[in-house]
mmCIF file of all heavy atoms in Angstrom:
data_model
loop_
_atom_site.group_PDB
_atom_site.id
_atom_site.type_symbol
_atom_site.label_atom_id
_atom_site.label_comp_id
_atom_site.label_asym_id
_atom_site.label_seq_id
_atom_site.Cartn_x
_atom_site.Cartn_y
_atom_site.Cartn_z
ATOM 1 N N TYR A 80 -14.695 66.772 -126.365
ATOM 2 C CA TYR A 80 -15.459 65.991 -125.386
ATOM 3 C C TYR A 80 -14.502 65.048 -124.687
ATOM 4 O O TYR A 80 -14.091 64.037 -125.256
ATOM 5 C CB TYR A 80 -16.538 65.210 -126.138
ATOM 6 C CG TYR A 80 -17.501 64.432 -125.282
ATOM 7 C CD1 TYR A 80 -18.667 65.014 -124.798
ATOM 8 C CD2 TYR A 80 -17.266 63.090 -124.985
ATOM 9 C CE1 TYR A 80 -19.572 64.288 -124.048
ATOM 10 C CE2 TYR A 80 -18.170 62.360 -124.224
ATOM 11 C CZ TYR A 80 -19.319 62.968 -123.756
ATOM 12 O OH TYR A 80 -20.224 62.247 -123.014
ATOM 13 N N GLN A 82 -13.943 62.608 -122.014
ATOM 14 C CA GLN A 82 -14.523 61.675 -121.049
ATOM 15 C C GLN A 82 -13.531 60.550 -120.752
ATOM 16 O O GLN A 82 -13.140 60.342 -119.607
ATOM 17 C CB GLN A 82 -15.819 61.116 -121.636
ATOM 18 C CG GLN A 82 -16.564 60.172 -120.732
ATOM 19 C CD GLN A 82 -17.897 59.787 -121.350
ATOM 20 O OE1 GLN A 82 -18.822 60.591 -121.433
ATOM 21 N NE2 GLN A 82 -18.005 58.561 -121.810
ATOM 22 N N THR A 83 -13.091 59.867 -121.806
ATOM 23 C CA THR A 83 -12.257 58.673 -121.631
ATOM 24 C C THR A 83 -10.920 58.997 -120.969
ATOM 25 O O THR A 83 -10.312 60.024 -121.242
ATOM 26 C CB THR A 83 -12.000 58.033 -123.010
ATOM 27 O OG1 THR A 83 -13.268 57.809 -123.635
ATOM 28 C CG2 THR A 83 -11.249 56.717 -122.904
ATOM 29 N N GLY A 88 -12.556 53.657 -120.184
ATOM 30 C CA GLY A 88 -13.318 54.240 -121.286
ATOM 31 C C GLY A 88 -14.751 53.746 -121.208
ATOM 32 O O GLY A 88 -15.684 54.509 -121.008
ATOM 33 N N SER A 89 -14.912 52.423 -121.294
ATOM 34 C CA SER A 89 -16.261 51.845 -121.265
ATOM 35 C C SER A 89 -16.960 52.136 -119.935
ATOM 36 O O SER A 89 -18.124 52.522 -119.904
ATOM 37 C CB SER A 89 -16.198 50.324 -121.445
ATOM 38 O OG SER A 89 -15.655 50.011 -122.693
ATOM 39 N N PRO A 121 -9.564 61.772 -126.282
ATOM 40 C CA PRO A 121 -10.476 62.758 -126.872
ATOM 41 C C PRO A 121 -9.930 63.418 -128.139
ATOM 42 O O PRO A 121 -8.795 63.913 -128.156
ATOM 43 C CB PRO A 121 -10.669 63.775 -125.738
ATOM 44 C CG PRO A 121 -10.514 62.935 -124.513
ATOM 45 C CD PRO A 121 -9.421 61.958 -124.842
ATOM 46 N N GLY A 122 -10.740 63.409 -129.188
ATOM 47 C CA GLY A 122 -10.350 64.009 -130.463
ATOM 48 C C GLY A 122 -10.358 65.526 -130.355
ATOM 49 O O GLY A 122 -11.225 66.102 -129.684
ATOM 50 N N THR A 367 -15.253 50.937 -131.849
ATOM 51 C CA THR A 367 -14.786 51.175 -130.480
ATOM 52 C C THR A 367 -15.277 52.516 -129.937
ATOM 53 O O THR A 367 -15.770 52.581 -128.813
ATOM 54 C CB THR A 367 -13.234 51.141 -130.465
ATOM 55 O OG1 THR A 367 -12.813 49.920 -131.049
ATOM 56 C CG2 THR A 367 -12.693 51.261 -129.060
ATOM 57 N N ASP A 371 -17.614 50.664 -126.958
ATOM 58 C CA ASP A 371 -17.172 49.384 -127.524
ATOM 59 C C ASP A 371 -18.402 48.569 -127.933
ATOM 60 O O ASP A 371 -19.401 48.518 -127.187
ATOM 61 C CB ASP A 371 -16.359 48.652 -126.449
ATOM 62 C CG ASP A 371 -16.114 47.215 -126.808
ATOM 63 O OD1 ASP A 371 -15.147 46.963 -127.542
ATOM 64 O OD2 ASP A 371 -16.900 46.333 -126.376
HETATM 65 C C1 LIG B 702 -10.523 56.895 -132.818
HETATM 66 C C2 LIG B 702 -11.053 57.086 -131.439
HETATM 67 C C3 LIG B 702 -11.570 58.309 -131.090
HETATM 68 C C4 LIG B 702 -12.023 58.527 -129.781
HETATM 69 N N1 LIG B 702 -12.501 59.752 -129.439
HETATM 70 C C5 LIG B 702 -12.874 59.987 -128.154
HETATM 71 C C6 LIG B 702 -13.321 61.281 -127.748
HETATM 72 O O1 LIG B 702 -13.396 62.206 -128.550
HETATM 73 N N2 LIG B 702 -13.648 61.475 -126.456
HETATM 74 C C7 LIG B 702 -13.586 60.479 -125.535
HETATM 75 O O2 LIG B 702 -13.895 60.732 -124.378
HETATM 76 N N3 LIG B 702 -13.197 59.230 -125.903
HETATM 77 C C8 LIG B 702 -12.834 58.964 -127.173
HETATM 78 N N4 LIG B 702 -12.440 57.710 -127.555
HETATM 79 C C9 LIG B 702 -12.398 56.650 -126.555
HETATM 80 C C10 LIG B 702 -13.486 55.603 -126.753
HETATM 81 O O3 LIG B 702 -14.742 56.119 -126.438
HETATM 82 C C11 LIG B 702 -13.174 54.387 -125.902
HETATM 83 O O4 LIG B 702 -11.986 53.818 -126.392
HETATM 84 C C12 LIG B 702 -14.313 53.392 -125.976
HETATM 85 O O5 LIG B 702 -15.413 53.859 -125.254
HETATM 86 C C13 LIG B 702 -13.902 51.996 -125.472
HETATM 87 O O6 LIG B 702 -13.432 52.065 -124.184
HETATM 88 P P1 LIG B 702 -12.036 51.416 -123.734
HETATM 89 O O7 LIG B 702 -11.002 51.943 -124.622
HETATM 90 O O8 LIG B 702 -11.956 51.655 -122.287
HETATM 91 O O9 LIG B 702 -12.182 49.887 -124.021
HETATM 92 P P2 LIG B 702 -12.203 48.729 -122.943
HETATM 93 O O10 LIG B 702 -13.474 48.839 -122.161
HETATM 94 O O11 LIG B 702 -10.952 48.689 -122.193
HETATM 95 O O12 LIG B 702 -12.329 47.485 -123.905
HETATM 96 C C14 LIG B 702 -11.345 46.472 -124.039
HETATM 97 C C15 LIG B 702 -12.028 45.122 -124.241
HETATM 98 O O13 LIG B 702 -12.748 44.761 -123.060
HETATM 99 C C16 LIG B 702 -14.073 44.395 -123.380
HETATM 100 N N5 LIG B 702 -14.961 44.804 -122.268
HETATM 101 C C17 LIG B 702 -14.911 45.955 -121.546
HETATM 102 N N6 LIG B 702 -15.882 45.977 -120.632
HETATM 103 C C18 LIG B 702 -16.575 44.841 -120.761
HETATM 104 C C19 LIG B 702 -17.724 44.292 -120.107
HETATM 105 N N7 LIG B 702 -18.361 44.935 -119.137
HETATM 106 N N8 LIG B 702 -18.163 43.091 -120.502
HETATM 107 C C20 LIG B 702 -17.545 42.432 -121.505
HETATM 108 N N9 LIG B 702 -16.465 42.904 -122.178
HETATM 109 C C21 LIG B 702 -15.986 44.091 -121.813
HETATM 110 C C22 LIG B 702 -14.395 45.151 -124.657
HETATM 111 O O14 LIG B 702 -15.408 44.471 -125.396
HETATM 112 C C23 LIG B 702 -13.054 45.129 -125.373
HETATM 113 O O15 LIG B 702 -12.954 43.910 -126.082
HETATM 114 C C24 LIG B 702 -11.985 57.473 -128.837
HETATM 115 C C25 LIG B 702 -11.468 56.220 -129.221
HETATM 116 C C26 LIG B 702 -11.019 56.024 -130.495
HETATM 117 C C27 LIG B 702 -10.454 54.694 -130.872
#
Side-chain angles (χ1 to χ4, degrees):
Y80 185 89
Q82 182 174 289
T83 306
S89 298
T367 306
D371 167 84

